[in-house]
Amino acid sequence: MADGAAKEGQEWRLTLPLTLFFVAFFVGPLLLLIGISFQAERQMTGVLGLNQYAVFLGDSLNLDVLSNTLILGVKATALCLIFGYPLAWLITRVSARMQALLIFLVILPIVTSVVVRTFAWIVILGRRGIVNDAIIAMGLSATPLRLLFNEAGVVIVLTQVQLPLMVLPLVTVLQRIDPNLASASQALGAGAWRTFFKITLPLSMPGIIAGTILTYTACVSAFVTQSLIGGSRLLYMPMMIFQQAMDLQNWPFAAAISVLFMISVLLIVGLLVALSRSRAARLYG
């Protein structure tokens, strides 16, 4: 008994390597970032204050960039959910061999570089790209449409790039739903849509919430996609931070922007987590 208790008491040591790694490469840099954001002067002379935060929050242009970035994430995440849910549902309804093939096709883009995929979309959405050629060939437009360097193009590409992050959690949750529940619902007279909205959709909410959190955080911080597809005409938070840090060498202001951006995203994620717990409490008591 004493040996067992002693072993259980020493198990925490197994977590030491991961804890040290987490502190060294996440907590430490994060604290350093927060500390730099309180530097009152650009030259980081050691004078502390809230000047950088006041400058950002006092400029409506900066607030517009922040709100546009957060709204961009909402639009792309909503499209990922609209396209991802039917795909995840289909994956759970086909045979095992077809299911493996579909999951492989969903995962395949993840193993491809985001830069490569984004440049491929530049070719597809360009004035001489596949989409514009098809639109002109079908007579829908006489001239090529402007699909790049606008928000619509960024949302389209973000949806394709981040779609696997929505599909995989949904597949996991949908596979765990007992099919007898749907059979029982239909046996009691409920139609397919009523069964879906009363049984399948509520039980799949944990997957929706998890996929939404993963997709949203990836969309709002997608520096490569936002920069290449949006071009110089659109400014989002990741590019703004890059410009302040690398081009203007204003590290305190860039750090303050990063902290405010992180807090904004965490607030949205916190709301989603609270919604998830609320739904779980209502479903499972």
Side-chain angles (χ1 to χ4, degrees):
M1 292 291 291
D3 291 341
K7 287 182 180 178
E8 288 181 2
Q10 294 176 355
E11 285 180 352
W12 63 271
R13 296 182 181 179
L14 298 175
T15 65
L16 271 180
L18 181 60
T19 303
L20 292 175
F21 184 87
F22 183 75
V23 170
F25 296 102
F26 180 75
V27 177
L30 182 61
L31 293 177
L32 179 62
L33 178 75
I34 295 173
I36 292 175
S37 71
F38 287 111
Q39 292 285 334
E41 298 178 3
R42 179 174 180 171
Q43 296 76 14
M44 293 193 291
T45 56
V47 180
L48 302 180
L50 297 174
N51 301 31
Q52 308 300 338
Y53 292 95
V55 169
F56 182 86
L57 296 175
D59 192 333
S60 60
L61 177 62
N62 296 332
L63 297 178
D64 287 342
V65 174
L66 176 60
S67 62
N68 289 339
T69 306
L70 299 178
I71 293 172
L72 173 72
V74 172
K75 292 177 180 176
T77 303
L79 280 181
C80 285
L81 180 59
I82 291 172
F83 290 112
Y85 199 99
L87 177 57
W89 184 87
L90 176 65
I91 290 175
T92 60
R93 293 296 186 276
V94 296
S95 64
R97 180 174 297 181
M98 184 60 70
Q99 189 177 89
L101 175 62
L102 290 176
I103 291 178
F104 172 74
L105 292 176
V106 170
I107 295 175
L108 186 61
I110 297 179
V111 300
T112 308
S113 169
V114 174
V115 178
V116 174
R117 281 186 285 163
T118 304
F119 272 112
W121 273 104
I122 291 177
V123 176
I124 294 171
L125 298 179
R127 291 179 63 84
R128 298 293 182 184
I130 299 172
V131 175
N132 267 318
D133 286 348
I135 291 174
I136 294 174
M138 289 187 291
L140 299 177
S141 176
T143 58
L145 300 179
R146 187 165 171 269
L147 301 175
L148 290 175
F149 311 126
N150 56 27
E151 190 181 67
V154 178
V155 171
I156 291 172
V157 178
L158 281 176
T159 301
Q160 190 278 329
V161 170
Q162 309 300 346
L163 187 62
L165 299 179
M166 178 65 77
V167 173
L168 295 178
L170 283 172
V171 170
T172 302
V173 171
L174 288 173
Q175 283 178 329
R176 294 178 180 175
I177 297 177
D178 189 349
N180 292 326
L181 294 175
S183 301
S185 174
Q186 292 174 353
L188 292 173
W193 285 109
R194 188 176 179 84
T195 299
F196 172 76
F197 284 110
K198 293 293 184 181
I199 303 295
T200 307
L201 185 61
L203 291 177
S204 62
M205 280 305 291
I208 294 175
I209 298 295
T212 299
I213 291 174
L214 291 173
T215 308
Y216 184 79
T217 53
C219 287
V220 295
S221 58
F223 172 75
V224 172
T225 303
Q226 294 175 7
S227 304
L228 294 179
I229 303 299
S232 59
R233 294 184 179 182
L234 299 178
L235 181 61
Y236 296 108
M237 289 298 285
M239 174 55 76
M240 189 177 189
I241 295 169
F242 178 83
Q243 290 177 345
Q244 292 295 330
M246 306 306 294
D247 296 340
L248 302 178
Q249 297 290 305
N250 193 349
W251 292 93
F253 191 53
I257 297 173
S258 302
V259 172
L260 289 172
F261 183 40
M262 180 179 64
I263 291 173
S264 302
V265 175
L266 287 177
L267 285 175
I268 294 175
V269 171
L271 288 175
L272 291 171
V273 172
L275 176 63
S276 175
R277 290 179 177 175
S278 173
R279 294 287 305 180
R282 273 186 283 177
L283 281 173
Y284 306 110

